[in-house]
């Protein structure tokens, strides 16, 4: 059964979608079968993976609130081993329509359950808000990966997300792990970046990934061509950093599995 990651941060502009796209591609480059679920109504992960939005094809909205089977919404990308369940503007109404449903928080988890044996990893790109779509993403996930830009308000934003994770653990008895805190748009030439990184490592300790994602023009350009950075500029520092991040997470997985095997 696949491991499901929610890529989440209620603050926008922190490299969340960039991370979902490029971490997924880096996993796929390791001969793993990967699915990205675009749970953001903006649909940036969809277009960033080169998939055109189409009213003729089921999207995540139709999986959550219609009668579309999740398998029918999966679209293969041009990157081998990497597929996506796309988002479109219909998803904007999902927060309102989910409110009246029974087990509304579990909707995504229930709907994607048939897919979990088909992939090594599933990455859910959550919207930049603590809303029902994000809650569904967190409830469907085994662990959450939190991208953070090294700026003044980073600590304030992450504290709210951690409070939400704690409430999910207690209220729903859902053992949601924190896969890690990822420092993005990292520029160690600035005092602010170094200070925020230091504060995060002091507060979260080993939960902060060793890998950092540098500020990069090539990373910013790649989505406009509908490609992950590995396809757009595989020799760039951005590509190198996401390959390192994938390796770090795969090492975590190996250690976790080994620890479970000794119990």
């Amino acid at each position: 059964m696949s491991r499901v990651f929610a890529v989440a941060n209620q603050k926008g502009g922190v490299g969340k979608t960039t991370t979902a796209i490029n971490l997924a591609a880096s996993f796929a480059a390791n001969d793993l079968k990967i699915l990205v679920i675009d749970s953001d109504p903006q649909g940036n992960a969809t277009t960033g993976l080169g998939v055109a939005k189409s009213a003729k094809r089921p999207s995540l909205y139709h999986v959550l609130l219609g009668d579309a089977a999740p398998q029918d919404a999966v679209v293969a990308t041009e990157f081998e081993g990497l597929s996506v369940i796309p988002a479109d503007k219909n998803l904007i109404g999902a927060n309102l329509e989910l409110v009246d449903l029974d087990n509304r928080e579990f909707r995504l988890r229930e709907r994607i359950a048939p897919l979990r044996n088909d992939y090594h990893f599933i990455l859910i790109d959550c919207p930049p808000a603590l809303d029902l779509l994000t809650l569904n993403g967190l409830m469907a996930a085994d662990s959450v990966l939190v991208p953070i830009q090294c700026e003044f308000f980073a600590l304030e934003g992450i504290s709210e997300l951690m409070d939400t994770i704690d409430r999910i653990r207690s209220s729903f008895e859902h053992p949601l792990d924190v896969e890690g805190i990822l420092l993005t748009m990292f520029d160690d030439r600035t005092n602010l970046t170094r200070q925020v990184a230091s504060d995060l490592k002091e507060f979260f300790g080993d939960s902060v990934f060793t890998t950092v994602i540098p500020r990069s023009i090539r990373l910013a350009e790649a989505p406009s061509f509908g490609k992950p950075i590995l396809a757009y500029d595989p020799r760039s520092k951005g590509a190198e950093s996401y390959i390192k991040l994938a390796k770090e997470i795969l090492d975590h997985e190996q250690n976790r599995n080994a620890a479970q095997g000794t119990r």
Side-chain angles (χ1 to χ4, degrees):
M1 184 176 287
S2 60
R3 186 162 178 83
V4 181
F5 299 126
V7 184
N9 190 330
Q10 78 274 19
K11 192 174 186 310
V14 297
K16 179 179 53 60
T17 299
T18 297
T19 294
I21 290 171
N22 292 298
L23 177 58
S26 297
F27 282 146
N30 281 276
D31 295 325
L32 300 175
K33 196 173 180 186
I34 309 299
L35 176 66
V36 172
I37 297 176
D38 190 351
S39 186
D40 187 343
Q42 296 177 82
N44 290 337
T46 300
T47 53
L49 285 169
V51 174
K53 298 169 187 173
S54 171
K56 299 179 181 178
R57 183 178 56 222
S59 67
L60 183 62
Y61 173 84
H62 302 100
V63 173
L64 283 175
L65 292 154
D67 55 5
Q71 297 91 332
D72 294 338
V74 173
V75 180
T77 73
E78 293 183 2
F79 202 87
E80 187 174 353
L82 176 55
S83 299
V84 61
I85 293 181
D88 58 24
K89 61 183 180 181
N90 290 318
L91 203 55
I92 295 171
N95 276 305
L96 295 175
E97 295 177 56
L98 283 167
V99 169
D100 294 327
L101 296 181
D102 293 333
N103 294 323
R104 60 189 181 187
E105 301 90 353
F106 301 91
R107 188 75 173 175
L108 182 59
R109 183 162 82 180
E110 292 168 353
R111 297 296 287 153
I112 68 170
L115 298 176
R116 291 200 57 167
N117 287 325
D118 297 336
Y119 299 93
H120 294 95
F121 293 109
I122 297 175
L123 283 75
I124 304 170
D125 184 30
C126 297
L130 291 178
D131 57 14
L132 266 175
L133 285 171
T134 295
L135 180 56
N136 265 264
L138 294 173
M139 289 300 299
D142 301 306
S143 61
V144 57
L145 190 157
V146 187
I148 289 187
Q149 186 179 356
C150 290
E151 60 171 27
F152 181 73
F153 293 112
L155 288 171
E156 179 181 318
I158 197 173
S159 65
E160 293 177 15
L161 180 60
M162 291 303 170
D163 286 344
T164 300
I165 291 170
D166 286 339
R167 287 197 298 272
I168 286 172
R169 288 168 174 164
S170 59
S171 299
F172 298 100
E173 298 182 354
H174 177 40
L176 182 63
D177 291 333
V178 175
E179 189 68 27
I181 312 293
L182 177 67
L183 306 182
T184 63
M185 305 179 201
F186 193 85
D187 184 354
D188 62 2
R189 296 172 298 177
T190 69
N191 291 333
L192 180 60
T193 294
R194 291 195 296 268
Q195 183 60 55
V196 172
S198 176
D199 290 345
L200 286 167
K201 289 173 182 175
E202 182 178 345
F203 191 79
F204 290 105
D206 291 340
S207 293
V208 179
F209 285 112
T210 301
T211 305
V212 299
I213 308 301
R215 188 175 291 278
S216 165
I217 296 296
R218 303 299 275 173
L219 269 177
E221 289 174 347
S224 64
F225 291 88
K227 294 180 179 181
I229 190 65
L230 275 177
Y232 180 64
D233 189 352
R235 295 172 182 253
S236 66
K237 289 184 177 179
E240 181 182 315
S241 64
Y242 277 109
I243 290 170
K244 286 182 178 178
L245 177 63
K247 184 179 185 307
E248 188 172 348
I249 293 175
L250 290 172
D251 287 345
H252 287 178
E253 289 297 301
Q254 190 172 14
N255 293 337
R256 181 185 292 111
N257 292 337
Q260 290 174 346
T262 58
R263 289 175 188 171

